[in-house]
Structure formats: C-alpha cells, structure tokens
C-alpha cells in the first residue's frame, strides 16, 4: 500500500504539485512546504536588515516589509512558491528619498508605487515579457547569481579565521547532504548544525545579531505624516514610478524563471497587480516596499523543493515569529551558515550550460553579446532593471541589423512594345534598418524611362520605408523617368496611401 502511495505521489504532474489542497492532504509534501518556508525565513533576516541599511531606515522597517510582502503575495500573487520581500533593488531606488525627506515620504512612495503596479498589471504590462529574448533571460539569471555571490564576499573579509572552516563545513553540508537524503532541506541542516557548533564551543564569530537589533513587537498600522498636496506628489512620484517598474521587472523575470524550473505556468498579470496590493499593504504597516527575491525563491524552489503558496505564506509567518518571539535565539545564528547557503544558491542559480565552449561555439555571436552585455551592466550597476533594459536594447539593435541584411533587390531589363523596361524585385521585410539601404539599390541614371518596382515578396512596416519609396520615386522623377510600384499587400497599400508624399522625402 505504501509503495502504491509513493508511486502515486511520483506520478503527480507539475501543475498538480502547485495545489495547496493536495499539499495539505500529503504529510510528505506539507513537510517540504513547511521546512522550505522556515529556511527562507532564516535567510530573509540578514538580507532584510542589510537592505534596510542600504535604504537608510531602521532594520524593523525591512523585516516588517518582508513579513507583509510574503504573506500578502501568498494570497494575491500569481506565481506559487515565489518569495517576495524587501529587496536591494527597491532599497537602491528609495535611498535618496529617505535621505532627503525621511521615512514618512518613503512609506507614501511605497503606497503610490503599489497603486502604479496595480494599474500597470491590469493594463497588461505583463504581456511585454514576451519581448524579452532568451539571451537576456540567461544573462539576468547569471548576473543575479554573480551578485548573490558578491554580496557574500564582505562576510568573508576581515573576520576571525574560524569563519572559513565553518563556511567550508556549511558548503559541504548544502552540497553533499542532498546526495544522501532529501528528507530535510540541506540549508536548514547547515544552519542548525553550525549554530549548535558555535554556541556549544562558545566561539566568537559574526552572527545575525551583529547585523542589527531585531524587533520585539508586532507591526502596527502606519499613516505617513506627509501633507496631501501637489508638492508632495511631485516629490514621491518619480521614486514611486521607478520602484513600480523595477519591482515589476524583477518579479516578472523571477516568475518566468520559476515557471521554467517547475515546468508550470503562472499568471503574470495577477502577479503584477498582486505585487501592487502587497506594496500597498506593506506601506500601510510602515514597510519599505519590495518585490520578488530570486535568491530566496531559489532556496524555496530549488534547494527545498517547495511548490505551493504554503511555503510563501509560512516564510512570512516564520519570519515574524523568529524575529519577535525567538529573536534572542535567531541572533545566535552564525553568518557563516547563511553565507554557505547563499553561495550554494548562487552556484545553483547560474546557468553553467550557457558558458560551455560547445554552447558558445554553437550560438550566434549576437546572442552571446546580448547575454554578456546583460551580465556586465547588471553586475556593474548592481541594478537588474538597468541590466535587462540594456540587454533588450542590444538585442533589438543586433536583431534589426541582422534582419536588415535579409532584404535583396534583383534588377532585370526587358524589352516590350513600349520599349525597354527595368524591373526591380524586392524580397524581404522593410523597416527602418533595411529600408535605409533600399535607396542605394537602384540605377537611377542607367535605367530606361520606364521602371517597375515589384514588392510582392516584401512588406512595408513603418514610415521610414514609405519615406524611402518616396525618395526613390522622386529621384527617378528628377531623371525624367516614371516608376510604378506594384505587388504591395493590402496592409502596405493602406500605409502608403496614408503616408506617401507627407514625410518630406527629397527635401
């Protein structure tokens, strides 16, 4: 009977594994979700404190933001098992506002950013994800893995020598234990084991408590003390808009990554407006705002094997319990344990296949360039939004350049009752990149008085192409020759009728 049950569990589809009801009915799956949430909560504590310092606010602001974000997204988010909390990307955006105007203006900006995200989500901004090329996605993942690793390096500099063997032991556990058993998440074992060692041996190493004071009370409602005037809106508007876009981009990219890892689909539209709702709730409780966290999400999905909203909810609940009720115990966790966990996450997150010599040799150089640009800019700026934006733009430029060379123009001269006739057959998609060269493909001086341009194998995509055709016909007119443009499809005819002669060609 037990064998049959195990076989049935193994036969579950990826979509069935997302079911909360199914997880609650299976003790084995429920244990995975609970332990996954616990490991994430432990990993969130030093991260939230560090991001609070970056933003220039009290550690409690970041910790409470992580709690409210995780719990709210567990109910309203579109991607099960994804973790949302206070993040470095949002902290970097809001730090100047905190420095110039204080916490109240930050909270007002967080609430406004949430409103923006709801509007953007309902207006379909998530559909823009399909325009992000795969090399950008791979670059995003690799850059994030590098950034996760880089954030751990300071924890290994200027520390007692015992930190190094402890970190090595932690790495041995997180990498080696899964080869023996997956009954308990390896990161949790590493955290517990290293904490017991440092406490029992009474060794002096950096701990979570050294990062900042943990709160000793529950979060309360917070009404920002700001004047409701146009001047206030003028101050918080740019920060709120930047926060909304950065948060959505990182959240939707992370959701897509989790989709790929779990072989399941998620609602990006729901995730977009869900992030907005979570930021509004976070602002109401005085939090610093946030978005999806790829590092903690990878701990939850890859290291722990969680698949449902239960782990996301419990990550927030455990976080609050740990910092409020068990703060003294949590403060004893050595940072070496969390460093080992995050290094494991960075190694597991990095797409090693993408940098294999065989892969690089097979890929077009343009795609490798896009991936490299995304990684380089993201790592240089420590801003995922900027890196992805640059990657997408590089991909667009290289794509346009490549497609532009696919247009061919073939010339032939024939004789009929009307005399000599030059025919040009244009083959390919005509847009701003390809149509710029079209003007130079004709023999204006050598052609006879009658010229036909056959467009049956091409399509006009933009005003640049219409302007190019206007310039060609004008050039022939100046040579006293007549041009007929034939074979246009219906959409191209309508565009030409609407724009021909109105774009200033030849002036």
């Amino acid at each position: 009977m037990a064998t049959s049950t195990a076989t049935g569990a193994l036969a579950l589809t990826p979509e069935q594994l997302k079911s909360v009801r199914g997880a609650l009915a299976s003790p084995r799956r429920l244990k995975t979700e609970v332990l996954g949430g616990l490991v994430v909560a432990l990993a969130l504590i030093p991260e939230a404190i560090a991001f609070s310092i970056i933003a220039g606010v009290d550690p409690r602001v970041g910790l409470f933001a992580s709690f409210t974000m995780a719990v709210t997204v567990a109910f309203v988010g579109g991607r099960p098992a994804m973790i949302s909390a206070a993040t470095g990307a949002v902290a970097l955006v809001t730090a100047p506002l905190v420095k110039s105007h204080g916490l109240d203006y930050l909270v007002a900006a967080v609430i406004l950013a949430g409103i923006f995200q709801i509007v953007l989500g309902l207006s379909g901004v998530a559909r823009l994800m399909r325009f992000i090329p795969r090399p950008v996605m791979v670059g995003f993942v690799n850059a994030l893995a590098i950034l996760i690793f880089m954030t751990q390096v300071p924890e290994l500099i200027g520390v007692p020598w015992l930190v190094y063997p402890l970190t090595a032991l932690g790495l041995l556990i997180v990498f080696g234990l899964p080869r023996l058993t997956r009954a308990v998440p390896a990161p949790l074992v590493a955290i517990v084991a290293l904490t017991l060692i440092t406490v029992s041996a009474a060794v002096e190493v950096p701990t979570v408590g050294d990062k900042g004071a943990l709160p000793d009370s529950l979060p309360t409602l917070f009404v920002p003390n700001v004047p409701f005037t146009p001047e206030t809106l003028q101050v918080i508007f740019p920060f709120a808009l930047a926060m909304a876009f950065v948060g959505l981009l990182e959240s939707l990219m992370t959701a897509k990554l989790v989709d790929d890892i779990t072989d399941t689909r998620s609602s990006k539209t729901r995730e977009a407006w869900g992030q907005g709702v979570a930021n509004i709730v976070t602002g109401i409780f005085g939090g610093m705002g946030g978005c999806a966290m790829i590092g903690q999400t990878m701990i939850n999905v890859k290291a722990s094997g969680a698949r449902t909203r239960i782990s996301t909810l419990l990550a927030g609940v455990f976080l609050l319990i740990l910092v409020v009720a068990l703060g003294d115990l949590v403060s004893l966790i050595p940072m070496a344990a969390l460093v080992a966990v995050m290094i494991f996450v960075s190694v597991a997150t990095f797409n090693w296949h993408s940098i294999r010599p065989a892969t690089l040799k097979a890929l077009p150089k343009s795609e490798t360039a896009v991936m490299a640009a995304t990684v380089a800019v993201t790592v240089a700026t420590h801003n995922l939004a900027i890196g992805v934006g640059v990657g997408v733009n590089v991909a667009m430029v290289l794509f346009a350049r490549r497609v532009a060379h696919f247009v061919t123009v073939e010339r032939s001269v024939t004789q009929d009752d009307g005399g000599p006739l030059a025919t040009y057959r244009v083959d390919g998609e005509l847009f701003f990149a390809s149509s710029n060269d079209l003007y130079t493909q004709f023999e204006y001086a050598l052609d006879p008085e009658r010229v036909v341009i056959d467009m049956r194998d091409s399509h006009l995509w933009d005003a640049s192409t219409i302007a190019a055709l206007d310039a060609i016909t004008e050039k022939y007119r100046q040579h006293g020759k007549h041009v007929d443009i034939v074979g246009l499809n219906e959409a191209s005819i309508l565009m030409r009728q609407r724009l021909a002669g109105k774009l200033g060609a030849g002036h």
Side-chain angles (χ1 to χ4, degrees):
M1 189 70 176
T3 303
S4 176
T5 303
T7 303
L10 290 173
L12 291 175
T13 66
E15 287 294 336
Q16 288 173 326
L17 290 173
K18 290 166 54 179
S19 168
V20 170
R21 183 176 298 177
L24 292 174
S26 169
R28 183 178 61 83
R29 290 175 56 198
L30 182 59
K31 181 192 71 172
T32 299
E33 300 295 321
V34 172
L35 294 180
L38 179 58
V39 175
V40 169
L42 291 169
L44 276 173
I45 295 171
E47 295 277 308
I49 294 173
F51 296 148
S52 298
I53 295 171
I54 291 173
V57 297
D58 189 276
R60 289 176 295 182
V61 177
L63 289 166
F64 287 157
S66 295
F67 159 69
T68 51
M69 286 292 297
V71 170
T72 306
V73 166
F75 292 98
V76 301
R79 174 62 258 179
M82 191 167 78
I83 305 298
S84 292
T87 61
V90 171
L92 288 170
V93 169
T94 57
L97 177 62
V98 176
K99 186 176 181 180
S100 61
H101 289 82
L103 177 63
D104 290 278
Y105 278 80
L106 167 64
V107 172
V110 169
I111 295 174
L112 183 58
I115 295 172
F116 285 155
Q117 288 179 328
I118 292 176
V119 173
L120 290 169
L122 295 177
S123 63
V125 70
R127 289 194 292 270
L128 296 177
M129 283 297 295
R130 68 179 183 271
F131 293 107
I132 297 180
R134 184 182 179 280
V136 175
M137 189 68 190
V138 174
F140 164 80
V141 171
N142 290 348
L144 204 47
I146 294 171
L147 289 177
I148 291 172
F149 180 82
M150 289 174 62
T151 58
Q152 308 313 308
V153 173
E155 303 296 340
L156 299 173
I157 297 176
V159 294
W161 70 269
L162 281 172
V163 169
Y164 303 111
L166 286 171
T167 303
L169 177 59
L171 290 171
L172 181 64
I173 294 173
V174 294
F175 281 103
L177 185 62
R179 298 176 181 271
L180 302 176
T181 177
R182 293 184 179 271
V184 181
L188 179 59
V189 175
I191 292 170
V192 172
L194 267 63
T195 302
L196 290 175
I197 291 172
T198 54
V199 171
S200 60
V203 296
E204 294 290 333
V205 293
T207 64
V208 170
D210 297 330
K211 287 293 182 180
L214 300 179
D216 55 6
S217 62
L218 297 174
T220 58
L221 294 178
F222 184 96
V223 179
N225 183 23
V226 298
F228 290 89
T229 62
E231 288 74 19
T232 299
L233 181 62
Q234 186 176 0
V235 170
I236 67 174
F237 182 90
F239 293 98
L241 191 61
M243 192 189 313
F245 275 110
V246 168
L248 281 183
L249 180 61
E250 190 161 347
S251 298
L252 295 176
M253 293 283 281
T254 304
K256 189 175 185 300
L257 177 61
V258 178
D259 288 353
D260 293 339
I261 292 172
T262 61
D263 292 324
T264 59
R265 294 181 179 180
S266 62
S267 173
K268 305 302 184 297
T269 297
R270 177 174 174 178
E271 185 60 46
W273 64 256
Q275 289 287 328
V277 172
N279 270 305
I280 291 175
V281 172
T282 296
I284 291 174
F285 282 94
M288 59 181 280
C291 61
M293 297 188 75
I294 191 167
Q296 275 65 22
T297 298
M298 290 301 100
I299 291 176
N300 195 42
V301 175
K302 264 197 167 183
S304 300
R307 291 293 183 269
T308 76
R309 299 176 184 274
I310 296 173
S311 58
T312 307
L313 172 64
L314 292 180
V317 173
F318 283 145
L319 172 65
L320 188 64
I321 294 173
L322 288 170
V323 299
V324 174
L326 302 174
D328 292 339
L329 183 61
V330 171
S331 64
L332 298 175
I333 296 174
M335 285 303 300
L338 297 176
V339 168
V341 171
M342 296 311 292
I343 290 176
F344 167 75
V345 170
S346 69
V347 172
T349 300
F350 196 91
N351 188 332
W352 296 100
H353 178 77
S354 67
I355 60 171
R356 290 178 182 172
T359 304
L360 295 175
K361 185 177 180 180
L363 280 176
K365 289 183 173 58
S366 59
E367 296 199 10
T368 302
V370 170
M371 181 182 70
T374 304
V375 172
V377 174
T378 302
V379 172
T381 63
H382 286 227
N383 191 313
L384 294 167
I386 295 176
V388 171
V390 169
V392 170
N393 279 284
V394 171
M396 289 172 59
V397 171
L398 293 178
F399 173 77
R401 182 174 178 271
R402 188 167 67 248
V403 172
H405 295 301
F406 291 160
V407 174
T408 59
V409 179
E410 294 182 359
R411 175 180 181 265
S412 62
V413 179
T414 58
Q415 190 81 21
D416 60 14
D417 294 339
L421 172 68
T423 302
Y424 289 87
R425 186 165 182 173
V426 182
D427 186 352
E429 305 299 312
L430 293 171
F431 62 109
F432 63 90
S434 56
S435 60
N436 286 337
D437 292 334
L438 187 65
Y439 179 81
T440 64
Q441 302 296 310
F442 297 86
E443 301 287 352
Y444 300 101
L446 299 178
D447 280 337
E449 293 184 0
R450 293 187 304 145
V451 178
V452 171
I453 302 176
D454 186 347
M455 310 284 289
R456 74 182 69 181
D457 295 321
S458 62
H459 183 90
L460 312 186
W461 284 104
D462 57 13
S464 296
T465 306
I466 305 299
L469 290 178
D470 285 354
I472 291 167
T473 56
E474 174 63 19
K475 185 73 170 179
Y476 274 115
R477 189 191 64 79
Q478 292 174 1
H479 282 77
K481 300 170 183 179
H482 176 72
V483 178
D484 284 322
I485 298 176
V486 301
L488 289 171
N489 57 38
E490 184 176 354
S492 299
I493 291 173
L494 291 175
M495 178 180 287
R496 188 160 184 258
Q497 288 176 343
R498 188 171 68 252
L499 298 175
K502 300 177 182 178
L503 300 173
H507 296 284

